[in-house]
Amino acid sequence: MKDFFKFIFKGSINNQELIDNSKVHSFLSSLLILIISLVIAIVPSFVTAAKQKGSQVLTVANNQSLNTSLSIFTDYLDKENLDIVIKDGKIDIENTSFKDGKKEYLVTVPNREDSSKQDELLAIRLCTNDQLEETINRYKSGMLEGSNTPTENPRSYLIFTETNIYISLYSPSSTNTFDKDKDGFLILDDDGLPVIKTYASAAISYKGTTEKIKNEISIKTFNDSTLEESKYDETTKNWANLLDVAFKPYRTQNMWVTAGIYSAINFGTVLLVSLLLVIMTHLKHSVGNKINYLEALKIASYSALAPAIVSIILGFIISSFATIGFVMCLSLRSTFIAMKLTNPNPLQ
């Protein structure tokens, strides 16, 4: 056991040690080191996913004035004596509506250049789970309630269903692409309407569930502040709390999905590195000993520990390095290992 730990320590910094002594130790021990390395490598990404909050959609720079839209919407509910109530983890969509029994409310603000015109900020919709897919497709196609003509510009939306909250925000420059024939004319469907070929990508997307919310929540009370000047901040804070709580179940899911994806990518990198080591030792210009895939896999597995340690350190220092750090470090180390394998004595 002492020799094994000595080998692991020396092999973390010495490529020749890995090449010379990896055969001495069992394949199971190399597999154990590989598993440890993969776990270490995904820690920064896992921690980043664990820190995600639903309220981030309110604070990011390109949130398309979502906080303003929610404040206007809350004021509207309060003044019109309307409400959206979350009770026992559900919203009673059938018995909830906006003014005049409508299920859609469009948040608008005066145009900066022409106050007689209104700029649309956000479409807010109440719909059942059965209507959800159709409703989302309509907003992606730029259609509001009562309209059936697709447009180039998708609509930013906030949708409430019985148990979920969906938000998609599009930048003003986001455009859908219509399908055209070879002569450049629009292709129309059976109803004579243009067909969208490619939908614009949302700048920000959010999904939350109300199923885990045990307390009763009344959205129209989100701006119940005693001071008029603090209503906006109070409203934003209450919406942030709701979005955080509703996002928690999906955050847990995202954490494990993230861990699984990056573990698979890192494991695939180890397998690919092993294959490349085999190929390199079988090339004509290689003067070193030829190795088989199992031997190469053991070398790659043992060599993964140092890149994993480096990637976790740099991943916490530079967040963008967290997802690619292990792949980059292992690829770099495998290059030097391949040089050692193909030419053990470069000066001879």
Side-chain angles (χ1 to χ4, degrees):
M1 185 62 69
K2 181 179 178 181
D3 290 340
F4 175 72
F5 284 111
K6 183 178 179 181
F7 161 70
I8 293 300
F9 177 76
K10 292 184 64 177
S12 296
I13 56 178
N14 190 319
N15 292 332
Q16 193 61 53
E17 176 74 15
L18 284 178
I19 295 171
D20 293 340
N21 295 319
S22 60
K23 295 180 181 179
V24 177
H25 302 282
S26 69
F27 178 75
L28 288 179
S29 63
S30 69
L31 186 60
L32 176 62
I33 296 299
L34 175 58
I35 293 173
I36 293 173
S37 301
L38 293 177
V39 171
I40 292 173
I42 65 168
V43 168
S45 299
F46 191 82
V47 171
T48 299
K51 290 181 177 180
Q52 286 183 335
K53 291 185 176 182
S55 58
Q56 287 174 336
V57 297
L58 294 172
T59 58
V60 293
N62 60 336
N63 71 353
Q64 310 305 317
S65 302
L66 177 62
N67 43 356
T68 301
S69 298
L70 295 179
S71 182
I72 293 172
F73 175 59
T74 308
D75 280 337
Y76 163 77
L77 292 177
D78 190 22
K79 291 175 182 178
E80 297 293 336
N81 196 28
L82 301 169
D83 203 1
I84 298 175
V85 178
I86 302 172
K87 186 176 181 180
D88 298 326
K90 293 184 179 180
I91 301 172
D92 187 1
I93 295 295
E94 295 294 336
N95 296 309
T96 303
S97 61
F98 302 131
K99 191 175 180 180
D100 299 326
K102 293 183 178 180
K103 295 290 186 179
E104 182 180 74
Y105 174 73
L106 188 61
V107 178
T108 60
V109 293
N111 184 279
R112 292 182 179 179
E113 298 179 357
D114 186 354
S115 59
S116 64
K117 296 180 179 179
Q118 295 287 314
D119 290 335
E120 299 175 4
L121 292 183
L122 186 69
I124 300 176
R125 185 76 158 83
L126 302 168
C127 75
T128 63
N129 290 322
D130 293 337
Q131 299 168 332
L132 178 62
E133 184 176 355
E134 178 187 356
T135 302
I136 289 178
N137 286 334
R138 287 180 61 82
Y139 285 135
K140 287 169 64 177
S141 301
M143 296 185 290
L144 295 172
E145 190 173 17
S147 173
N148 292 310
T149 303
T151 67
E152 286 188 340
N153 301 110
R155 309 275 184 176
S156 295
Y157 61 81
L158 162 60
I159 296 176
F160 293 96
T161 69
E162 292 95 332
T163 55
N164 288 99
I165 302 172
Y166 300 86
I167 299 174
S168 279
L169 305 176
Y170 296 89
S171 67
S173 60
S174 297
T175 55
N176 297 322
T177 303
F178 288 111
D179 203 2
K180 297 181 180 180
D181 60 22
K182 61 181 180 180
D183 296 319
F185 294 103
L186 291 175
I187 295 177
L188 305 179
D189 61 16
D190 295 337
D191 297 322
L193 300 174
V195 177
I196 294 178
K197 182 180 180 181
T198 306
Y199 288 103
S201 298
I204 297 174
S205 294
Y206 168 91
K207 181 181 179 182
T209 178
T210 60
E211 291 181 318
K212 302 296 183 180
I213 299 177
K214 297 180 180 180
N215 299 328
E216 182 173 322
I217 295 178
S218 170
I219 290 180
K220 79 172 182 178
T221 65
F222 277 9
N223 63 354
D224 281 358
S225 174
T226 55
L227 299 176
E228 185 66 29
E229 60 268 23
S230 67
K231 274 192 173 183
Y232 179 81
D233 292 336
E234 184 73 14
T235 302
T236 301
K237 185 177 75 172
N238 286 325
W239 274 104
N241 290 336
L242 172 60
L243 296 177
D244 281 339
V245 172
F247 181 68
K248 277 185 179 179
Y250 292 105
R251 181 180 65 188
T252 303
Q253 178 181 325
N254 290 342
M255 286 165 53
W256 291 111
V257 169
T258 299
I261 291 174
Y262 288 115
S263 292
I265 292 173
N266 293 341
F267 180 63
T269 302
V270 173
L271 296 179
L272 180 60
V273 164
S274 303
L275 179 61
L276 292 177
L277 291 179
V278 174
I279 294 174
M280 291 293 289
T281 60
H282 283 74
L283 294 177
K284 289 184 178 179
H285 65 75
S286 174
V287 296
N289 295 327
K290 294 178 173 58
I291 61 174
N292 58 42
Y293 188 77
L294 185 60
E295 292 171 332
L297 184 57
K298 288 175 67 177
I299 293 174
S301 297
Y302 285 126
S303 69
L305 184 58
I309 295 173
V310 172
S311 67
I312 190 175
I313 295 172
L314 293 180
F316 283 121
I317 298 174
I318 308 171
S319 58
S320 59
F321 197 81
T323 57
I324 60 172
F326 179 78
V327 174
M328 290 181 60
C329 292
L330 182 62
S331 299
L332 181 62
R333 187 175 193 189
S334 66
T335 301
F336 291 103
I337 292 175
M339 292 170 60
K340 287 276 188 181
L341 286 169
T342 56
N343 192 7
N345 302 299
L347 298 181
Q348 293 183 3

